[in-house]
Amino acid sequence: AQSVAQPEDQVNVAEGNPLTVKCTYSVSGNPYLFWYVQYPNRGLQFLLKYITGDNLVKGSYGFEAEFNKSQTSFHLKKPSALVSDSALYFCAVRDGDSGAGSYQLTFGKGTKLSVIP
Amino acid sequence: DAGVIQSPRHEVTEMGQEVTLRCKPISGHDYLFWYRQTMMRGLELLIYFNNNVPIDDSGMPEDRFSAKMPNASFSTLKIQPSEPRDSAVYFCASKSPGTYNEQFFGPGTRLTVL
């Protein structure tokens, strides 16, 4: 079984400050990890993913995420937050060792990010 | 690229009525996923298809729910009969061939069952 935990329902950060949205995961095989963002009344938009290689992954809109295997974490970060970054953020995991054709993603509950002007 | 297209965007119906949600995946994508999002349960995978064939429907909550994919460019999710607890936002997503590729989501259908 695979699972994702996003321990914070809401994160508040001042504009211009660095932001971190936390994610921990549990999976039996190799983790494939994803971050998505959801703006109000919109579908989820892909931000970035970790499959293998460098533990620091860079994605859209200046976001990056750090994979930490020992802590089973994949925290989302941005050096300087913008008001327009305010949205709902979802972490997701897939078991890379799952059977051929199995692409089930398990999503966290989401973290609401509010960037205060 | 038009992205994943869903219709209708909003649906209001009365308990007991049949509801059909529609999805057109991105051209060339071979996987299609149906999700349901609620405040209480978050984002849940209902069913997904590969090359129009259902692979895993273990997330479908009850026999009242059914999904079809008659061809590579169209899928439906049907609820019959609908109940108030089915009220949610339903998302369709598709994925291109390739082990590491991400899913692309449609805008969703907000369903309200009165």
Side-chain angles (χ1 to χ4, degrees):
Chain A
Q2 55 197 44
S3 64
V4 172
Q6 294 182 240
E8 302 156 317
D9 290 337
Q10 178 148 357
V11 170
N12 297 321
V13 63
E15 186 176 24
N17 283 2
L19 69 87
T20 298
V21 182
K22 296 180 180 178
C23 170
T24 58
Y25 66 90
S26 174
V27 67
S28 56
N30 281 317
Y32 292 174
L33 295 155
F34 302 81
W35 275 102
Y36 284 83
V37 60
Q38 184 179 29
Y39 297 100
N41 301 314
R42 302 285 295 276
L44 278 71
Q45 296 178 31
F46 170 74
L47 276 180
L48 51 80
K49 64 184 175 185
Y50 171 84
I51 303 300
T52 187
D54 194 348
N55 289 343
L56 185 64
V57 178
K58 294 188 183 298
S60 306
Y61 313 120
F63 284 93
E64 57 189 27
E66 186 168 12
F67 171 65
N68 187 316
K69 186 173 183 178
S70 63
Q71 297 186 6
T72 62
S73 66
F74 189 56
H75 301 331
L76 182 69
K77 300 181 180 183
K78 188 174 182 181
S80 179
L82 300 173
V83 173
S84 57
D85 293 331
S86 299
L88 191 57
Y89 289 81
F90 290 93
C91 181
V93 68
R94 184 194 140 211
D95 187 341
D97 294 338
S98 56
S102 175
Y103 286 98
Q104 183 168 346
L105 279 181
T106 298
F107 285 84
K109 294 289 187 184
T111 298
K112 183 179 179 180
L113 173 68
S114 293
V115 181
I116 303 161
Chain B
D1 190 343
V4 176
I5 299 172
Q6 291 187 247
S7 64
R9 292 294 310 276
H10 301 274
E11 177 80 35
V12 180
T13 191
E14 294 188 346
M15 183 174 62
Q17 296 298 306
E18 177 180 295
V19 175
T20 299
L21 311 181
R22 296 172 177 81
C23 175
K24 177 179 170 57
I26 295 172
S27 177
H29 284 196
D30 62 344
Y31 276 82
L32 184 139
F33 306 81
W34 282 101
Y35 292 88
R36 178 172 67 176
Q37 185 180 37
T38 62
M39 290 292 291
M40 291 296 294
R41 301 175 67 90
L43 198 62
E44 304 172 278
L45 176 65
L46 300 177
I47 184 172
Y48 71 97
F49 296 83
N50 175 222
N51 290 324
N52 313 337
V53 176
I55 302 300
D56 186 346
D57 65 354
S58 60
M60 296 286 263
E62 301 171 33
D63 291 344
R64 298 184 296 106
F65 287 70
S66 63
K68 294 182 180 180
M69 192 165 186
N71 57 62
S73 59
F74 183 66
S75 177
T76 60
L77 178 68
K78 185 177 293 186
I79 308 172
Q80 166 62 17
S82 58
E83 297 183 2
R85 59 193 168 125
D86 301 331
S87 297
V89 181
Y90 291 81
F91 289 104
C92 176
S94 68
K95 190 189 81 65
S96 60
T99 301
Y100 311 127
N101 292 341
E102 60 275 11
Q103 298 177 22
F104 289 84
F105 282 73
T109 295
R110 182 175 296 277
L111 173 64
T112 303
V113 183
L114 303 174

